[in-house]
Amino acid sequence: MLTLLLTCLFCLIAALAVWLFSRMTTQRTQALQALASHRGWRYCNRLAFSRELRLRHFHLLTAAASASARHCLISPGDTLWVMDITAMSRHHLTEQTVILVSCSLDLHGQISISRNRWLEYDQLTPMHDQPPVTLSQDDLPVRLAQWHCRSDTRHRMRGFFREGVIDWLETHPELHVEWSQGWLLVCQPGCQVVPENLERAIKDVQQLAGLLQS
Protein backbone atom coordinates (compact mmCIF):
# COMPACT_ATOMS: atom_id res chain seq x y z
CA MET A 1 0.00 0.00 0.00
CA LEU A 2 2.83 2.39 0.90
CA THR A 3 4.58 1.61 -2.38
CA LEU A 4 1.40 2.41 -4.31
CA LEU A 5 0.97 5.73 -2.50
CA LEU A 6 4.59 6.70 -3.14
CA THR A 7 4.24 5.78 -6.82
CA CYS A 8 1.08 7.89 -7.13
CA LEU A 9 2.76 10.80 -5.37
CA PHE A 10 5.78 10.59 -7.66
CA CYS A 11 3.56 10.52 -10.76
CA LEU A 12 1.61 13.52 -9.48
CA ILE A 13 4.77 15.53 -8.84
CA ALA A 14 6.16 14.62 -12.28
CA ALA A 15 2.91 15.61 -13.99
CA LEU A 16 2.85 18.90 -12.09
CA ALA A 17 6.46 19.64 -13.09
CA VAL A 18 5.68 18.93 -16.76
CA TRP A 19 2.61 21.17 -16.60
CA LEU A 20 4.54 24.04 -14.99
CA PHE A 21 7.37 23.75 -17.53
CA SER A 22 4.88 23.67 -20.40
CA ARG A 23 3.07 26.72 -19.02
CA MET A 24 6.30 28.69 -18.58
CA THR A 25 7.42 27.76 -22.10
CA THR A 26 4.06 28.82 -23.55
CA GLN A 27 4.17 32.15 -21.70
CA ARG A 28 7.68 32.87 -22.99
CA THR A 29 6.65 31.94 -26.52
CA GLN A 30 3.62 34.22 -26.41
CA ALA A 31 5.56 37.15 -24.93
CA LEU A 32 8.37 36.86 -27.49
CA GLN A 33 5.91 36.50 -30.36
CA ALA A 34 4.17 39.69 -29.19
CA LEU A 35 7.53 41.51 -29.00
CA ALA A 36 8.49 40.30 -32.47
CA SER A 37 5.16 41.45 -33.91
CA HIS A 38 5.53 44.87 -32.24
CA ARG A 39 9.08 45.39 -33.56
CA GLY A 40 8.57 43.83 -36.98
CA TRP A 41 10.96 40.94 -36.26
CA ARG A 42 10.68 37.32 -37.33
CA TYR A 43 10.06 34.70 -34.64
CA CYS A 44 11.04 31.01 -34.83
CA ASN A 45 10.29 28.57 -32.05
CA ARG A 46 13.38 26.51 -32.99
CA LEU A 47 16.08 27.19 -35.55
CA ALA A 48 19.09 25.09 -36.59
CA PHE A 49 22.45 26.86 -36.70
CA SER A 50 23.12 27.88 -40.27
CA ARG A 51 26.41 27.03 -41.95
CA GLU A 52 27.27 30.74 -41.96
CA LEU A 53 26.67 30.98 -38.21
CA ARG A 54 28.75 27.88 -37.48
CA LEU A 55 31.63 29.17 -39.61
CA ARG A 56 31.92 32.25 -37.40
CA HIS A 57 33.47 29.91 -34.79
CA PHE A 58 31.86 31.42 -31.72
CA HIS A 59 33.16 29.53 -28.69
CA LEU A 60 29.72 29.55 -27.06
CA LEU A 61 28.05 27.95 -30.09
CA THR A 62 30.83 25.36 -30.29
CA ALA A 63 30.03 24.45 -26.68
CA ALA A 64 26.28 24.28 -27.36
CA ALA A 65 24.56 21.05 -26.37
CA SER A 66 22.82 20.93 -29.77
CA ALA A 67 23.24 22.65 -33.14
CA SER A 68 20.02 24.60 -32.76
CA ALA A 69 18.50 27.42 -30.75
CA ARG A 70 15.04 28.16 -29.35
CA HIS A 71 12.86 31.26 -29.31
CA CYS A 72 14.75 33.03 -32.09
CA LEU A 73 14.06 36.68 -32.91
CA ILE A 74 15.56 38.04 -36.14
CA SER A 75 15.43 41.68 -37.22
CA PRO A 76 14.84 42.86 -40.81
CA GLY A 77 18.12 42.64 -42.69
CA ASP A 78 19.32 39.93 -40.27
CA THR A 79 21.51 42.42 -38.36
CA LEU A 80 20.17 41.33 -34.96
CA TRP A 81 19.60 37.80 -33.68
CA VAL A 82 18.27 36.83 -30.25
CA MET A 83 18.03 33.18 -29.22
CA ASP A 84 18.00 30.80 -26.24
CA ILE A 85 20.87 28.30 -26.22
CA THR A 86 21.82 25.37 -23.99
CA ALA A 87 25.58 25.17 -23.49
CA MET A 88 27.94 22.82 -21.72
CA SER A 89 29.53 24.74 -18.87
CA ARG A 90 32.39 23.41 -16.76
CA HIS A 91 30.02 21.78 -14.27
CA HIS A 92 26.56 21.41 -15.86
CA LEU A 93 24.30 22.46 -18.72
CA THR A 94 23.31 26.12 -18.69
CA GLU A 95 20.45 27.96 -20.37
CA GLN A 96 21.07 31.50 -21.59
CA THR A 97 19.70 34.10 -23.96
CA VAL A 98 22.25 35.06 -26.61
CA ILE A 99 22.22 38.41 -28.43
CA LEU A 100 24.06 38.68 -31.74
CA VAL A 101 24.51 42.03 -33.51
CA SER A 102 26.34 42.96 -36.69
CA CYS A 103 29.57 44.75 -35.74
CA SER A 104 32.13 45.27 -38.51
CA LEU A 105 35.65 46.04 -37.28
CA ASP A 106 39.06 46.41 -38.86
CA LEU A 107 40.19 43.22 -37.10
CA HIS A 108 40.80 39.67 -38.25
CA GLY A 109 40.22 36.78 -35.88
CA GLN A 110 38.03 35.65 -33.00
CA ILE A 111 38.02 36.56 -29.34
CA SER A 112 35.94 35.65 -26.28
CA ILE A 113 36.18 37.16 -22.83
CA SER A 114 34.37 36.79 -19.51
CA ARG A 115 35.18 37.52 -15.89
CA ASN A 116 35.41 33.81 -15.05
CA ARG A 117 35.99 30.69 -17.08
CA TRP A 118 32.66 28.89 -17.46
CA LEU A 119 32.46 27.11 -20.83
CA GLU A 120 33.52 23.52 -21.41
CA TYR A 121 35.27 23.29 -24.77
CA ASP A 122 34.68 20.18 -26.86
CA GLN A 123 38.12 18.89 -27.78
CA LEU A 124 36.68 16.55 -30.42
CA THR A 125 35.07 19.33 -32.47
CA PRO A 126 37.43 21.26 -34.77
CA MET A 127 36.91 25.00 -34.28
CA HIS A 128 39.72 26.78 -36.10
CA ASP A 129 42.65 26.19 -38.37
CA GLN A 130 44.53 27.91 -35.54
CA PRO A 131 43.14 26.61 -32.20
CA PRO A 132 42.16 29.36 -29.75
CA VAL A 133 44.57 30.01 -26.90
CA THR A 134 44.03 31.39 -23.42
CA LEU A 135 45.62 34.81 -23.19
CA SER A 136 48.00 35.48 -20.32
CA GLN A 137 47.92 38.51 -18.01
CA ASP A 138 50.68 40.06 -20.14
CA ASP A 139 48.48 39.82 -23.25
CA LEU A 140 45.53 41.62 -21.62
CA PRO A 141 44.99 45.22 -20.49
CA VAL A 142 45.96 45.72 -16.83
CA ARG A 143 42.34 46.32 -15.81
CA LEU A 144 41.30 42.98 -17.34
CA ALA A 145 44.37 40.97 -16.36
CA GLN A 146 42.35 38.60 -14.17
CA TRP A 147 39.66 37.95 -16.78
CA HIS A 148 39.45 34.75 -18.84
CA CYS A 149 40.08 35.44 -22.51
CA ARG A 150 40.62 33.16 -25.50
CA SER A 151 41.69 34.19 -28.99
CA ASP A 152 43.02 32.57 -32.14
CA THR A 153 46.04 34.89 -31.94
CA ARG A 154 47.79 36.67 -29.11
CA HIS A 155 48.40 39.97 -30.88
CA ARG A 156 45.97 40.62 -33.74
CA MET A 157 43.01 41.23 -31.42
CA ARG A 158 44.64 43.83 -29.14
CA GLY A 159 42.71 46.54 -31.01
CA PHE A 160 39.53 45.08 -29.46
CA PHE A 161 40.42 46.49 -26.03
CA ARG A 162 39.67 50.17 -26.48
CA GLU A 163 39.29 52.29 -23.35
CA GLY A 164 35.51 52.59 -23.68
CA VAL A 165 35.22 48.83 -24.26
CA ILE A 166 37.22 48.11 -21.09
CA ASP A 167 34.92 50.47 -19.17
CA TRP A 168 31.87 48.65 -20.56
CA LEU A 169 33.24 45.22 -19.65
CA GLU A 170 34.02 46.33 -16.10
CA THR A 171 30.48 47.69 -15.80
CA HIS A 172 29.05 44.34 -16.97
CA PRO A 173 31.30 41.73 -15.27
CA GLU A 174 28.51 39.12 -15.32
CA LEU A 175 28.44 38.96 -19.13
CA HIS A 176 30.25 36.76 -21.64
CA VAL A 177 31.38 38.61 -24.79
CA GLU A 178 32.67 37.34 -28.14
CA TRP A 179 33.55 38.93 -31.46
CA SER A 180 34.13 37.05 -34.70
CA GLN A 181 34.10 38.00 -38.36
CA GLY A 182 32.00 41.11 -38.08
CA TRP A 183 29.59 39.87 -35.40
CA LEU A 184 29.33 40.55 -31.67
CA LEU A 185 27.84 37.94 -29.31
CA VAL A 186 26.83 38.67 -25.72
CA CYS A 187 25.07 36.60 -23.05
CA GLN A 188 24.82 36.25 -19.29
CA PRO A 189 25.79 32.65 -18.47
CA GLY A 190 22.89 30.70 -17.01
CA CYS A 191 20.37 33.53 -17.52
CA GLN A 192 17.38 33.65 -19.84
CA VAL A 193 16.42 37.30 -20.34
CA VAL A 194 12.74 37.85 -19.56
CA PRO A 195 10.87 39.35 -22.55
CA GLU A 196 10.12 42.65 -20.78
CA ASN A 197 13.87 43.24 -20.26
CA LEU A 198 14.98 42.11 -23.69
CA GLU A 199 14.91 45.46 -25.49
CA ARG A 200 17.03 47.04 -22.76
CA ALA A 201 19.52 44.16 -22.99
CA ILE A 202 19.72 44.63 -26.76
CA LYS A 203 20.46 48.35 -26.30
CA ASP A 204 23.31 47.46 -23.92
CA VAL A 205 24.84 45.16 -26.54
CA GLN A 206 24.37 47.78 -29.26
CA GLN A 207 26.14 50.26 -27.00
CA LEU A 208 29.15 47.92 -26.84
CA ALA A 209 29.08 47.54 -30.64
CA GLY A 210 29.12 51.33 -30.95
CA LEU A 211 32.11 51.59 -28.63
CA LEU A 212 33.98 49.00 -30.67
CA GLN A 213 33.21 50.81 -33.93
CA SER A 214 33.81 54.36 -32.67
Side-chain angles (χ1 to χ4, degrees), residues 17-35 43-45 70-71 84 192 195-196:
V18 171
W19 178 80
L20 287 173
F21 179 78
S22 176
R23 182 174 177 81
M24 291 173 59
T25 301
T26 300
Q27 289 176 339
R28 184 168 180 80
T29 298
Q30 292 174 345
L32 291 175
Q33 285 176 333
L35 176 61
Y43 172 83
C44 298
N45 186 57
R70 304 174 308 285
H71 302 302
D84 288 347
Q192 284 187 330
E196 53 265 34

Side-chain angles (χ1 to χ4, degrees), residues 20-205:
L20 287 173
F21 179 78
S22 176
R23 182 174 177 81
M24 291 173 59
T25 301
T26 300
Q27 289 176 339
R28 184 168 180 80
T29 298
Q30 292 174 345
L32 291 175
Q33 285 176 333
L35 176 61
S37 177
H38 173 69
R39 294 298 302 269
W41 297 338
R42 303 196 309 274
Y43 172 83
C44 298
N45 186 57
R46 182 171 288 275
L47 187 68
F49 296 158
S50 66
R51 182 175 182 273
E52 179 184 7
L53 185 60
R54 287 185 282 108
L55 287 177
R56 291 183 188 133
H57 300 303
F58 285 114
H59 298 164
L60 174 59
L61 301 189
T62 302
S66 66
S68 64
R70 304 174 308 285
H71 302 302
C72 301
L73 300 173
I74 306 170
S75 70
D78 295 353
T79 56
L80 166 70
W81 292 61
V82 181
M83 59 189 75
D84 288 347
I85 288 176
T86 303
M88 293 178 286
S89 72
R90 299 187 69 191
H91 304 292
H92 51 74
L93 294 177
T94 61
E95 303 280 346
Q96 47 273 312
T97 300
V98 175
I99 299 175
L100 276 160
V101 298
S102 177
C103 180
S104 298
L105 302 176
D106 189 21
L107 295 173
H108 302 281
Q110 295 86 30
I111 191 169
S112 69
I113 184 165
S114 51
R115 183 67 182 84
N116 300 301
R117 181 183 173 188
W118 67 286
L119 284 176
E120 187 66 48
Y121 296 95
D122 185 355
Q123 300 300 320
L124 298 178
T125 303
M127 291 186 288
H128 308 272
D129 294 333
Q130 181 70 28
V133 295
T134 300
L135 302 189
S136 68
Q137 294 183 10
D138 294 335
D139 295 318
L140 292 169
V142 174
R143 291 161 60 189
L144 302 177
Q146 302 302 318
W147 288 50
H148 182 75
C149 182
R150 287 169 64 91
S151 176
D152 57 343
T153 65
R154 280 190 161 86
H155 306 294
R156 287 191 307 180
M157 296 302 296
R158 284 182 175 173
F160 182 89
F161 295 109
R162 303 183 179 189
E163 197 68 22
V165 173
I166 297 173
D167 291 339
W168 191 96
L169 290 171
E170 288 190 320
T171 307
H172 302 81
E174 73 281 2
L175 300 184
H176 171 82
V177 176
E178 299 191 36
W179 183 89
S180 178
Q181 300 179 28
W183 282 83
L184 179 67
L185 177 154
V186 179
C187 76
Q188 181 174 346
C191 175
Q192 284 187 330
V193 180
V194 295
E196 53 265 34
N197 293 340
L198 192 53
E199 289 188 276
R200 181 177 178 180
I202 291 171
K203 288 181 181 179
D204 286 341
V205 176

